[in-house]
Amino acid sequence: PLPPPAPLMASRPTVTVFSSSGSSTSSTPLPGVFLAPVRPDVVHQVTVGLAKNKRQPYCVNKYAGKSVAASSWGTGRAVSRIPRVQGGGTHRSGQ
């Protein structure tokens, strides 16, 4: 058995319309959307979505792994052109 059909028209709450001088001019019914029940799951989804706008942006460096500290000495030193870390031959070089 099917449940009884819901009434098509329910009485909508009315609101008072005020003029710019502050006196009430008329009363008009609210749109029918205000009769819909509040869905907590939708409210939560919208709240979480709005909170995402407050996040601090972060990402990895787009040049990560591309830049290195070592550079080649070039030619003219009678050594191979392999990249070498800057610094002298002391025990603290490269720090």
Side-chain angles (χ1 to χ4, degrees), residues 22-41:
S23 60
S24 62
T25 58
S26 64
S27 180
T28 182
L30 283 175
V33 70
F34 288 103
L35 292 175
V38 176
R39 291 183 48 191
D41 59 330

Side-chain angles (χ1 to χ4, degrees), residues 21-58:
S21 63
S23 60
S24 62
T25 58
S26 64
S27 180
T28 182
L30 283 175
V33 70
F34 288 103
L35 292 175
V38 176
R39 291 183 48 191
D41 59 330
V42 175
V43 172
H44 176 70
Q45 182 179 1
V46 170
T47 306
V48 168
L50 287 173
K52 289 180 179 181
N53 293 327
K54 304 287 184 188
R55 293 181 297 180
Q56 181 75 22
Y58 73 96

